Structures are given as C-alpha cells and as structure tokens.
Amino acid sequence: MDWGALATVAPTALSSTIYATIQASFLLRVARARPQGAPAAARLPGATPVVSILKPVAGVDDELADNLESFARIDYPCFEILFGVASREDPAVPVIQAFIAAHPEVKARLCLTDPSEALNPKVAQLIELTRRAEGSVLVISDANVRVRPDYLHSLLSVLMRPGVGLVSSVVAGTGERTLGAVIENAQLGAFIAPGVVAAAELAGRSISVGKSMAMRRVDLDRVGGFRSVGNVLAEDDVLGQRFSACGFVVELCLDPIENRNASCSLQRTLDRHTRWAKMRRALVPRCFAAEPFNSPLLIAWLTVLLSPTRLALEVWLFAWALQSLGAYLALRWLRPTRFNLLLVAAEPLRTLCWFFCWLNAHANRRVAWRGNTFYIGPGSELIAAEDPASVRSPAR
C-alpha cells in the first residue's frame, strides 16, 4: 500500500463525504418541502392572527428604502410594522419617516428604544417594541431584509403547525456589486443556508436565524421573553433553545428571504463573519473545531501546501469541482432568478476568507457590534469590554 498516496487523498476524501452529505441533505429537504412547480406558500385556513413586525434598526443598511418598500407590498390582511431606533439622530430615521409618510395604508410606527434595557443592543430594542406591539404573533425582521408579498402567509403556515413555537427563515444573500458583497452573499448561500438546514436534518438541532423569525406572544412569554436573552450575542439561537427546552418545535421556513448586501467592503464582510465565527465557537465549540472539514477545497489546499505533488493537485481539482457544484446547486435553489456564476467562481476566495474568519475566532473573544465592544463568554454570553477579567474560559 502506498501510504503517501493514502495520506494525500484520505483527508480530502473524508471532507468531501461530509460536504456532500450536508449539501445533499439541504437539497433533499428543500425538494421535499416544495416540489417543483408548487406554490411558495399555502393560504392560512380560518381566521388570520394580527401580526406585529418588529424592526430593530441601527444605521442605514444597503438599499434600506427599497427593503422597506417590499414590506408595503405584503399580502396579509392585518399586520403592523414597528421600527425601533436607539436615537432620534440615527441616520435611518429620515428613511423610515419617508416610508411611513408614503404608505398611509400600512400601519407603521417609529419607536424610540432604551439601550439600557439589555446588554445586547438588538434585544434592548425588541423589548420596547414588544411592549408597544398589538399583534398576537410577533415577527422579527432585520432592516437589511427584503421579502415577497406572501412573506407572512409563508411564515405563519409553518408557525400554525401543531407544536411549533418558533419559525425562522432560510436566508439568501442578494444584490452584490462589490467584492465584499460577492463574498458575503456566497457565504450566506453556499455555507450558511445549507449548514442551517442540514443541522436540523442530520443532527436534529434547529438553528434559529434572527434575520426573520416568528412566534406567538404568549409562547414568547412562557419561555421568558426577550429579556431572558438580553445578555447573549446569539439571542436568536439561544431563544430557539429556550423554546425547545419548553417542549416547542423550532422549525425552518424554506421560502427564502433576501438579505440585501450590495456595496459592503471586503473588510466589513470579514469583520461580520469573524464575529459570527466567534459566536459559533462560544455556542458549539466542538462542532466549531471541526468546521474546516466541511470544506474539501480547504483541506485539499492544506494538503497541497504540506505535500506539493501531482496527486495533491489532482485532489485539489476534484475538491474545487465538487465544492463549485455544491455552491451552484445551493445558490440555484436560493436565488433561482439571479446570476449565480460569479458567486460560484468566487468559491475558492470565499473558502479562504471563511478560513481566515475561523482562525481569527481563536485569537480572542472580543467583538464590536452596533457601536459596542464586548467579550464573548460560554453560550455567547456578553461581557462589557471594560471588564475582560470577568470573562470565563470557553466551555470545552
């Protein structure tokens, strides 16, 4: 037996098996959920609950005005939109006010929130928005999200299933015009979305993504409300764990929403995904340590660096072809009407950027977010940066 050849091929073969399993699980799940040609979302039977869409806002996201316009086109009989800002000086305020003035037919309000309500600035906004909300169903929707007219019908058709307490949407990054946005949207489509779906399918762990989530107000109160996740960075996933612990089913809505990333810089993309990597490390340290094996292209690259042989190069080419195919199929489902080949071509660069973020997550536990600096403890617990000595060691 040629042990050198085996050592060259085996790591990438293992990684390719893991990657193919994740991508196949994602594609099979979405194929089962929505057969080709079927409508995106069924109409809700019987009476429709009143929905409060909570939008915590901090600054002007890419194409904010157009994102908000998509919510004016929602086809649902009874909903309101509550915008939260921590300061009247927030540059998003004029954009929100213009939206409200342009759409008197939409019940929408701008609310000033109190940053001292929680250490997590987004949760601090959600606490105040929930107080002012009138709906029996609460939908959290980030400002950089764009939706289709059937958005609420789609979410609620999952929420109304027996036993379901929390629903979050699969996210597709769109709108890329810069290199940073290309990498951001490729990461969301080729890595994040398949991983979220596969975690539920293969590991039975539903990951809640806070860009778009729906829950009943009464159920939220039963699990402790937003205040119970006010001191963690991953408030969405921790909230999902609380729902699961109380016996609720945490589900995914497989009708994708758009996360608009148009003109962000590469540095901003790296900063965001380094923060997310640190968050994953705090939540699931063992799974995070194994993350590089989710990318056969990365493992093949490392093999080439350690053993620059012809066989290693052939293995790299195989890994590149496999990962490009996986990215293409995932993006084709998530973004069926958009040009995806640029994002597929960026797969080698996306992989390197992601690995940089993964490595950087091991350097320290410091994150900057929404103008605040924190340290991350176990379970993504937030500790103010002024008190780094209070940070406990990550769970092993």
Side-chain angles (χ1 to χ4, degrees):
M1 179 179 291
D2 188 339
W3 292 104
L6 181 62
T8 299
V9 173
T12 303
L14 173 62
S15 180
S16 297
T17 302
I18 295 171
Y19 177 80
T21 301
I22 290 172
Q23 297 300 111
S25 175
F26 167 70
L27 294 170
L28 289 172
R29 169 72 187 273
V30 298
R32 290 199 312 268
R34 183 167 48 164
Q36 192 170 8
R43 293 284 158 176
L44 297 173
T48 52
V50 178
V51 174
S52 294
I53 300 175
L54 314 182
K55 269 196 175 296
V57 181
V60 179
D61 290 281
D62 285 353
E63 303 178 354
L64 176 60
D66 290 336
N67 296 342
L68 300 186
E69 281 295 318
S70 71
F71 284 80
R73 296 189 289 270
I74 288 178
D75 178 16
Y76 190 83
C78 43
F79 72 96
E80 63 174 352
I81 307 175
L82 285 79
F83 299 97
V85 292
S87 168
R88 292 286 182 186
E89 305 305 314
D90 191 298
V93 168
V95 182
I96 296 169
Q97 290 174 331
F99 169 81
I100 294 173
H103 296 284
E105 76 282 4
V106 177
K107 186 177 182 180
R109 288 176 281 161
L110 176 61
C111 307
L112 185 64
T113 62
D114 182 0
S116 67
E117 290 273 14
L119 198 56
N120 181 314
K122 180 178 178 180
V123 174
Q125 291 183 302
L126 291 173
I127 290 171
E128 177 61 25
L129 293 177
T130 300
R131 286 196 196 106
R132 302 199 188 188
E134 298 176 1
S136 61
V137 171
L138 305 177
V139 170
I140 303 171
S141 173
D142 283 359
N144 58 10
V145 159
R146 189 173 299 184
V147 299
R148 299 186 309 220
D150 63 356
Y151 171 61
L152 292 181
H153 279 285
S154 184
L155 268 181
L156 268 65
S157 66
V158 180
L159 183 63
M160 297 306 169
R161 295 173 187 168
V164 174
L166 179 68
V167 180
S168 64
S169 300
V170 171
V171 179
T174 61
E176 60 278 352
R177 294 197 300 266
T178 63
L179 178 60
V182 167
I183 300 303
E184 173 79 23
N185 293 339
Q187 178 75 357
L188 289 173
F191 180 80
I192 300 293
V196 167
V197 174
E201 284 290 283
L202 301 176
R205 188 188 190 281
S206 295
I207 300 173
S208 304
V209 180
K211 288 190 177 296
S212 170
M213 297 199 308
M215 68 209 78
R216 299 173 189 84
R217 182 196 290 266
V218 65
D219 295 339
L220 176 64
D221 291 340
R222 282 185 60 189
V223 304
F226 288 122
R227 196 174 294 279
S228 68
V229 293
N231 293 330
V232 295
L233 179 61
E235 82 289 335
D236 46 5
D237 189 58
V238 174
L239 190 63
Q241 292 177 44
R242 287 182 174 274
F243 270 90
S244 293
C246 288
F248 292 104
V249 176
V250 177
E251 265 290 5
L252 283 171
C253 176
L254 296 176
D255 290 322
I257 57 149
E258 294 185 49
N259 180 186
R260 296 295 288 185
N261 297 294
S263 57
C264 60
S265 67
L266 183 58
Q267 184 61 55
R268 180 182 171 189
T269 295
L270 293 175
D271 289 345
R272 171 187 281 184
H273 286 281
T274 295
R275 185 178 77 244
W276 288 5
K278 291 178 180 182
M279 186 167 62
R280 295 195 303 275
R281 184 186 176 210
L283 288 169
V284 283
R286 291 173 181 167
C287 292
F288 180 77
E291 266 189 15
F293 277 93
N294 294 354
S295 172
L297 186 56
L298 172 63
I299 300 300
W301 241 321
L302 296 175
T303 301
V304 169
L305 289 175
L306 293 172
S307 176
T309 63
R310 178 185 178 88
L311 177 60
L313 180 59
E314 291 172 349
V315 168
W316 184 92
L317 289 172
F318 168 80
W320 168 75
L322 174 64
Q323 205 162 304
S324 296
L325 176 62
Y328 172 76
L329 293 174
L331 290 165
R332 183 181 179 186
W333 184 84
L334 289 164
R335 308 172 9 143
T337 63
R338 301 182 183 277
F339 180 74
N340 295 320
L341 292 182
L342 179 61
L343 273 62
V344 174
E347 189 63 8
L349 179 58
R350 181 204 67 79
T351 300
L352 291 177
C353 289
W354 160 73
F355 187 50
F356 169 83
C357 297
W358 184 86
L359 289 173
N360 201 19
H362 293 276
N364 58 66
R365 285 165 279 155
R366 187 184 180 98
V367 295
W369 181 46
R370 290 195 174 199
N372 301 276
T373 303
F374 305 103
Y375 287 86
I376 307 179
S380 84
E381 178 188 359
L382 292 172
I383 296 96
E386 297 77 31
D387 189 22
S390 66
V391 183
R392 300 189 296 273
S393 299
R396 295 291 180 182

